[in-house]
Structure formats: structure tokens, C-alpha cells
Amino acid sequence: MDSIIVTGNGPLSGQIPIAGAKNACLTLMPATLLSDEPLTLTNAPRLSDIRTMTALLASLGAEVSSLQDGKVLAMSSHDLTSHKADYDIVRKMRASILVLGPMLARDGQAVVSLPGGCAIGARPVDLHLRALEALGAELDLRDGYVHAKAPGGLKGGVIEFPFVSVGATENALMAATLAKGTTVIRSAAKEPEIVDLALCLRKMGAQIEGEGTDTITVQGVDRLHGATHPVVTDRIELGTYMLDPSICGGEVELLGGKRDLVGAFCNKLDEAGIEVTETGRGLSVKRREDHIKAVDVTTEPFPGFPTDLQAQMMALLATADGVSVLEEKIFENRFMHAPELMRMGAKIDVHGGTATVTGVDRLKGAPVMATDLRASVSLILAGLAAEGATTVSRVYHLDRGYEHVVRKLQGVGALIERVPGA
Ligand code: EPZ
């Protein structure tokens, strides 16, 4: 297994281009199942999760061509040969559950493996299933699979989520586009990835209102047609790289960055003493003073502070002036990076969903281990400012959500290299 070695090297400067969003692309790709006409995605990120979704769609009989060095995905599911999403693929990536709604809406049948557990939490899919039942689906959980039927097709209905779920909103939204009649989704997720999905579905002929609010209304149509759609900027990659100059000093411009994608995050950076400026090309980030201030953070659904930036923020706050309290409200086990940061000299106290971080002057390089996608990049961020070298192992986690991370960081002056595994 490859590892990444990063050595603290002082202030960073230059530009980093931000790619298309993994979490938008992973819901846009299954939308191809809703039509027998081609769907083309541009500005697609080059990530292992995208390759996994490509393999899943291909296993159903869809064609997915990766063009222009992987930035364009030309997809067609004219002739599906299977309606079964196999455990062997689904276990690699939970987002595979997002083929369930589209397949059911298209052909009235689907067999999808349950995703199983995950490092950051139990992550059940009960809300996805309740939503499809509200549209008339008949579900049977058997042998680790969801066997779903909709004889006569799905029917519009009212879906009331007890709390916000990004994935369940996406599955319900896609399914509702071909359901007969009107569907109302209440307590819907408002993430930019949901808005991007709705924009794409509308280009395919869907009738949708209210995306980006907590109530989405869909008028079902008989069929959807083809379209071409650019994947929205990755706000989590953006937020991650905004922390480079915040942690190390210097100034970095994030090309393609937009403030409204990371509003709550920018407010916290501002509180900590970090300046974010809009340029014509994106966002420019630098510290106001040499040191940053401690801040308290609570993760929430969008437009609140994103849980996918919590680990990275902890790496920043490890060397802040004072004590910061981080509350993780979305996932029950998302502090796996804390013990690794403590190996680098951080002072962190974790109790349940609360981590108390007492800032230290400087971290020290050490061998550390990545446990999940966002934890892995938080260790790299910490290593950028640490004394000496940090070796991060199990970086396959990183490949799931960050394209060309070593090249992008080298481009702004970081001392970082990838070392192939034995
Ligand atoms: C999406 O996951 C993202 N993944 C996650 O990003 C992100 O952390 C999460 O939304 C929250 O923003 C993708 O888009 C592929 P949820 P998702 O359904 O849809 C519980 C990353 O690092 N829940 O909003 O799975 C669930 O356990 C990843 O890129 C149920 O109980 O998240 C969690 O506690 C990690 N039952 C909470 O709701 C359900 O049926 C929010 O989950 C569904 C969810």
C-alpha cells in the first residue's frame, strides 16, 4: 500500500485548481438509468469512487466512456442487461445505493445489495427505503439485498424525512421524476450536490421545484431525454485546500472556488483570523496574523458547517491559540483522526460526539495511519505544518476523493511525495 511523506516547509503560495464534486458526480451518474438517451457529464473528477460507480453501471449494462483524460463521462443505459447491484461492488462504495431509485423508476424492478457498515458510522439506508415505499414500491429485504418492485410503476406521494439525509433525498428525487403524479419531499437535504442533481434532471426534462430548500416538489413525467451537464465544483476539496495557507502561512488561490459553496466554513475561518477574498478566478486565502485563534465548531447539514470538513478543521485547530470544541452531529464515529493527530503531539480530548482541542505551538512529524477519506487528508494538512516528516499510510482512502493531491500541493511549494507500497 502506498504512503505519502510530507515535511513541514513553511508558507505556501500559488494556485490550486478545484475539480468537479465527487458527491455530485456519484448521484449524477445513476441519473443515466432514468433515460434510454445519452447523458454526458463534463468537469468530472478523476477518482477511484468514480471508477467504482462506472463499474457498477457497466455491470447493469450501461455504457460509460471516460473521455478527455477522464474529465468527460459519456453514458448511455439504452440496453440494461441486469437490475442487480452486486455486493462485490456495493461493499466498496455506499453511494452504490443511489442506483436503486432510478432503476425502480425506470423498469419497476431492482435488486440492490445493502451497503453494510462504515468506519464513520452505522449508516443505515432505512430512509431511502421508506421514501421509495411512499412512492408505492414493494420492498423485500432478503439475503443482504433489497428486492424492490413497482408493478405498474411508481406513484407520486408525500415523503416526510424525520431528519436530513443527502442520499435518501437524492434517491427519492430521482425516483419521483418518473412517478405518476406529484411527489412532495419534506425535510429534504439542501446540499449543493442536490441542487446540481435537480439542475441536471431538469435538463433531462424533469419537472422539479424547490431544490435547495427543505421542500422539493416533483411532477412525474412519462420519460426523460438525454442531456449534457457540468459537475458542480467540489466544495469539500475547496475547503480542504483553503486550509493549506491557513495552517502553514502564505497565500493560495483556489481556482473555481465560490464562497456560497462554503459559507459556514468561511465564517469559521474568519473567526479564526483567516481572510478569504473572492478573485475573478476563485477564492484567495491567507492568515491575518501569524497565529490563528481557537474557534468552536458544530457540524450540521448544509448550509451549516459540513461534517466532511470537520477532520481538516481539527488539524488546523491543533495549533490554534486556545481551546476549541468540535461537535460532530452527523456521524457517530467520526473522530478516528484524533488519535493520529495526537501521535503528532496534538492535545485532543474526545468524549462521544465532542472533541476538545487545546492548541499547541507546533506539531511534530510522525508515522500515522489514514482511517477514512477525510481523516487521511487531515493528517496530510497537519504534516504540512509539522516539524520534520510525517508518513501517512493507507492513502488509498485519499484516492477516493482527492485527485492529484501530491501534484496540487507540490504546485504551491509543499514538500510532499507519494511512496509506492511494498
Ligand atoms: C453524503 O452521505 C456524503 N456522501 C457524505 O460524504 C457526507 O458526509 C454526508 O452526505 C453528509 O453530508 C455522498 O454524497 C456520496 P446522509 P450520505 O444520508 O448520503 C443517517 C465524504 O467524505 N441516515 O445525509 O450517506 C446517517 O447514518 C462522504 O465524501 C440514516 O439513519 O449521508 C447519518 O448519520 C462521507 N438512515 C445521517 O443520517 C438513512 O437511510 C446523514 O447521512 C440515511 C442516513
Side-chain angles (χ1 to χ4, degrees):
M1 271 185 272
D2 292 8
S3 51
I4 285 181
I5 303 179
V6 50
T7 306
N9 186 36
L12 301 175
S13 68
Q15 298 173 320
I16 297 182
I18 304 300
K22 167 182 83 81
N23 290 346
C25 204
L26 288 178
T27 187
L28 290 164
M29 292 175 75
T32 186
L33 299 169
L34 292 166
S35 170
D36 54 12
E37 291 183 27
L39 174 62
T40 301
L41 299 177
T42 60
N43 194 37
R46 282 79 53 100
L47 303 167
S48 62
D49 271 8
I50 302 302
R51 292 188 288 278
T52 305
M53 184 59 84
T54 299
L56 176 60
L57 292 172
S59 75
L60 303 173
E63 284 161 29
V64 182
S65 310
S66 173
L67 311 170
Q68 293 175 28
D69 185 26
K71 293 198 96 172
V72 173
L73 297 171
M75 304 178 291
S76 165
S77 53
H78 193 272
D79 307 307
L80 288 190
T81 52
S82 165
H83 291 86
K84 183 175 183 193
D86 208 82
Y87 174 66
D88 271 348
I89 301 181
V90 174
R91 70 184 170 78
K92 292 188 192 130
M93 183 184 67
R94 313 180 49 73
S96 308
I97 194 78
L98 295 172
V99 300
L100 177 59
M103 268 203 290
L104 198 51
R106 175 203 171 108
D107 291 340
Q109 57 167 318
V111 178
V112 176
S113 170
L114 288 166
C118 163
I120 65 176
R123 302 183 74 179
V125 292
D126 53 327
L127 299 187
H128 297 240
L129 307 183
R130 296 293 83 70
L132 295 171
E133 280 177 335
L135 301 182
E138 295 163 16
L139 306 179
D140 178 14
L141 299 191
R142 205 167 356 112
D143 312 325
Y145 283 79
V146 185
H147 296 254
K149 282 203 183 74
L154 293 174
K155 298 177 186 54
V158 176
I159 298 167
E160 183 107 37
F161 288 123
F163 53 86
V164 168
S165 160
V166 173
T169 302
E170 291 164 343
N171 240 330
L173 178 55
M174 290 190 278
T177 56
L178 295 175
K180 288 186 191 56
T182 308
T183 296
V184 180
I185 306 173
R186 297 215 176 97
S187 304
K190 297 183 264 198
E191 271 64 6
E193 295 75 34
I194 306 266
V195 173
D196 203 40
L197 175 63
L199 289 179
C200 177
L201 292 170
R202 203 177 282 125
K203 279 181 196 159
M204 296 171 74
Q207 295 184 18
I208 301 169
E209 279 171 26
E211 73 276 6
T213 75
D214 55 17
T215 304
I216 301 176
T217 305
V218 185
Q219 297 295 338
V221 295
D222 292 341
R223 63 181 299 279
L224 294 178
H225 50 72
T228 297
H229 180 74
V231 179
V232 70
T233 301
D234 194 320
R235 63 193 169 101
I236 305 301
E237 188 195 27
L238 170 62
T240 301
Y241 289 125
M242 287 168 75
L243 290 174
D244 299 342
S246 310
I247 284 182
C248 302
E251 180 161 9
V252 172
E253 186 180 16
L254 297 312
L255 304 177
K258 295 190 186 72
R259 197 183 179 104
D260 58 7
L261 290 172
V262 279
F265 179 68
C266 287
N267 298 343
K268 279 295 161 191
L269 292 188
D270 182 51
E271 253 182 72
I274 293 151
E275 202 166 286
V276 179
T277 323
E278 286 178 275
T279 67
R281 295 174 297 256
L283 297 177
S284 183
V285 179
K286 64 179 180 188
R287 296 196 286 208
R288 283 198 200 97
E289 283 145 34
D290 253 357
H291 266 265
I292 61 148
K293 299 187 205 86
V295 295
D296 296 341
V297 169
T298 301
T299 63
E300 293 171 290
F302 191 89
F305 190 100
T307 173
D308 295 346
L309 286 171
Q310 177 260 98
Q312 300 93 316
M313 196 67 181
M314 187 185 277
L316 174 75
L317 297 172
T319 54
D321 285 349
V323 178
S324 309
V325 177
L326 286 104
E327 281 195 279
E328 175 53 58
K329 294 271 186 192
I330 308 291
F331 292 106
E332 64 273 24
N333 187 31
R334 203 168 202 181
F335 286 136
M336 307 271 273
H337 39 284
E340 300 301 315
L341 289 171
M342 287 155 80
R343 289 176 49 73
M344 300 175 71
K347 285 207 174 91
I348 307 168
D349 213 4
V350 175
H351 285 288
T354 304
T356 305
V357 183
T358 305
V360 298
D361 282 348
R362 188 154 190 214
L363 297 177
K364 291 202 174 35
V368 290
M369 190 164 70
T371 47
D372 62 77
L373 168 58
R374 307 304 171 183
S376 56
V377 82
S378 82
L379 301 176
I380 289 186
L381 287 175
L384 286 172
E387 203 178 308
T390 297
T391 304
V392 184
S393 58
R394 298 188 177 193
V395 291
Y396 56 84
H397 288 291
L398 203 67
D399 299 335
R400 300 188 59 174
Y402 293 91
E403 61 170 38
H404 307 313
V405 62
V406 169
R407 198 196 303 169
K408 287 186 179 183
L409 288 172
Q410 285 171 341
V412 291
L415 260 185
I416 182 168
E417 59 172 325
R418 185 168 182 133
V419 183

